[in-house]
Amino acid sequence: MGTDRTAYTARHANRRRFLGAASGALAGVGLTACGGGEGDGGSGSGERSRATPSTPAPAEDDGPRPLYLGAYTSVAGGGDGIGLAAYEAADGRITGGRTVEGVPDPSYLAVHPDGRTLYAANEREEGAVTAVRLGDGEAPPRVLGTRPTGGSGTCHLSVHPSGRWLLSADYGSGSVAVHPVAADGALGAATDRVVHGSPRPGPGQDGPHAHQILTAPGGHVLAVDLGTDTVYTYRLDTRAGTLAETARTTVRAGAGPRHLTFHPSGRYAYLANELDDTVQVCAYDPRTGRLRPARPQPTGGSGPGTAYPANLAVTPDGRYAYLANRGPDTLVRYAVEAGGARLRLVDSVPAGGAFPRQIALSPSGRLLFAANQRSGTVSVHRVDAKSGELRPAGRPFTAPGASCALPR
């Protein structure tokens, strides 16, 4: 949609700064969305998360494992669709697979809990979500269909832990939507759509800009809105597929909250604020779904130009957190202290590419993947189990228009 994409981004000046011009199928079980470490998903029953900082990392074979790649397809030098690749769990080496074409601008990806269906956010003026049935053995992947969200610029999505609902966030319209998931993984028409009408947009914003939606520990659904500087808490009716707001947390005006990541304990979450280059530790009550943010702290970004934090990822044992910081194009390492209540800046290293839009840890936590949008690459870093130090793992993998890397 090249010309349509240009028109869309021209109407959203803040978004335009960050998008810019970007330069065999596998199945399994593991993380459920790009940017692993967003949360444990909860049970939907109101129970507290049982994970603790000492929770061991999941076992992971050293053989090849699936890696799903999101991309922008309608920008110059962009991708052709969803990439189905593989990586070696031992050393992080990525090998190419096939591409699922016919899926426009699949900028963010999520996998069904059963591991058989992949979902993509179609980040276009007419927002939509697409379901792809993953191949098994000789069977190729198959696009099951696309459903409109009713909004514009769909930039994030996640699957409810029950596997029965898909949640999506529309940046352009500042709205979130719910779609039912059929037994075969296909999507039905939206059962609900909520527009973030208040509070008023922050400084320099033209309206609400929903940037993330996820199921948090305890079963509440949280939506992060960059335009209103607010995180909204919803209760999902798992029979009707409707959202009811129960709380909201507003951070300082102009912060531009983009992405929320939970500590394995479920008692703390970390908020990346895109516009003022800060992160915030938030105490979280899984019973009520309420957040209590602490004072913002600088990301530690260095180098020329302005830094735009993208997202954080937390190791499975809860000891370290990493931030993708665009502009300086670095990966920032934090030591997690006080049981998750404090982030201490340790250092930063080059991301291995330009404009790391998203990062994710492998299920074991031994590898960190960065989707570098402007260089059109995915870089891999080994994670030292004791110190949390990051070390490059080979040469970056070419992935035009890279926007999301989902290791499984």
Side-chain angles (χ1 to χ4, degrees):
M1 170 190 109
T3 56
D4 292 337
R5 177 78 175 174
T6 300
Y8 170 65
T9 54
R11 287 196 296 276
H12 298 92
N14 282 294
R15 188 94 175 143
R16 184 177 62 232
R17 295 204 310 271
F18 313 128
L19 293 181
S23 75
L26 296 166
V29 280
L31 299 178
T32 56
C34 276
E38 288 180 354
D40 68 358
S43 64
S45 64
E47 294 180 358
R48 298 192 184 197
S49 169
R50 296 181 181 179
T52 67
S54 59
T55 299
E60 186 171 277
D61 295 335
D62 286 338
R65 297 182 60 87
L67 177 67
Y68 306 124
L69 304 175
Y72 287 109
T73 61
S74 60
V75 297
D80 296 321
I82 301 171
L84 304 181
Y87 71 96
E88 295 291 334
D91 60 14
R93 183 172 62 92
I94 300 175
T95 54
R98 61 182 77 189
T99 299
V100 181
E101 299 182 351
V103 183
D105 289 312
S107 68
Y108 203 87
L109 306 175
V111 177
H112 191 279
D114 67 13
R116 296 188 295 174
T117 309
L118 183 69
Y119 299 97
N122 304 121
E123 193 171 340
R124 295 201 157 192
E125 183 170 4
E126 294 184 1
V129 287
T130 296
V132 177
R133 192 66 167 181
L134 294 168
D136 184 12
E138 297 298 321
R142 178 168 54 95
V143 177
L144 298 177
T146 298
R147 291 285 186 173
T149 62
S152 64
T154 311
C155 65
H156 190 271
L157 78 175
S158 61
V159 186
H160 186 265
S162 68
R164 296 176 51 207
W165 306 101
L166 183 76
L167 311 168
S168 59
D170 293 320
Y171 180 89
S173 53
S175 54
V176 295
V178 183
H179 287 266
V181 177
D184 65 352
L187 298 171
T191 52
D192 200 10
R193 175 173 176 260
V194 179
V195 180
H196 297 155
S198 64
R200 294 175 60 86
Q205 299 299 306
D206 56 1
H209 293 305
H211 215 302
Q212 183 193 24
I213 186 167
L214 74 161
T215 306
H220 293 88
V221 172
L222 302 186
V224 181
D225 196 295
L226 182 149
T228 62
D229 299 309
T230 299
V231 180
Y232 301 85
T233 298
Y234 296 101
R235 173 61 69 182
L236 173 68
D237 185 321
T238 55
R239 292 187 177 182
T242 55
L243 296 170
E245 184 180 332
T246 60
R248 63 177 61 173
T249 303
T250 299
V251 298
R252 69 181 182 184
R258 172 187 175 94
H259 197 279
L260 190 72
T261 304
F262 276 89
H263 185 267
S265 69
R267 304 298 298 187
Y268 297 95
Y270 310 119
L271 188 63
N273 294 317
E274 180 172 340
L275 300 185
D276 70 357
D277 188 21
T278 64
V279 295
Q280 282 180 271
V281 177
C282 303
Y284 178 72
D285 186 344
R287 296 171 300 179
T288 65
R290 293 183 179 274
L291 292 166
R292 185 164 52 84
R295 184 186 302 274
Q297 62 188 77
T299 63
S302 60
T306 306
Y308 304 111
N311 75 295
L312 292 113
V314 183
T315 55
D317 61 10
R319 296 176 59 201
Y320 295 96
Y322 305 95
L323 172 73
N325 215 350
R326 299 161 296 168
D329 296 341
T330 57
L331 303 175
V332 184
R333 173 171 50 139
Y334 296 93
V336 179
E337 300 177 336
R342 186 167 60 242
L343 294 179
R344 177 174 57 83
L345 176 65
V346 179
D347 62 9
S348 64
V349 298
F355 225 62
R357 182 176 181 81
Q358 173 265 349
I359 58 174
L361 288 160
S362 64
S364 69
R366 297 187 301 186
L367 298 169
L368 184 144
F369 296 79
N372 304 301
Q373 181 186 344
R374 290 185 177 170
S375 59
T377 58
V378 174
S379 54
V380 188
H381 300 257
R382 292 189 182 92
V383 180
D384 186 278
K386 293 183 177 180
S387 68
E389 183 179 359
L390 298 177
R391 297 186 179 91
R395 299 179 61 182
F397 179 77
T398 299
S403 60
C404 175
L406 174 53
R408 302 270 291 160

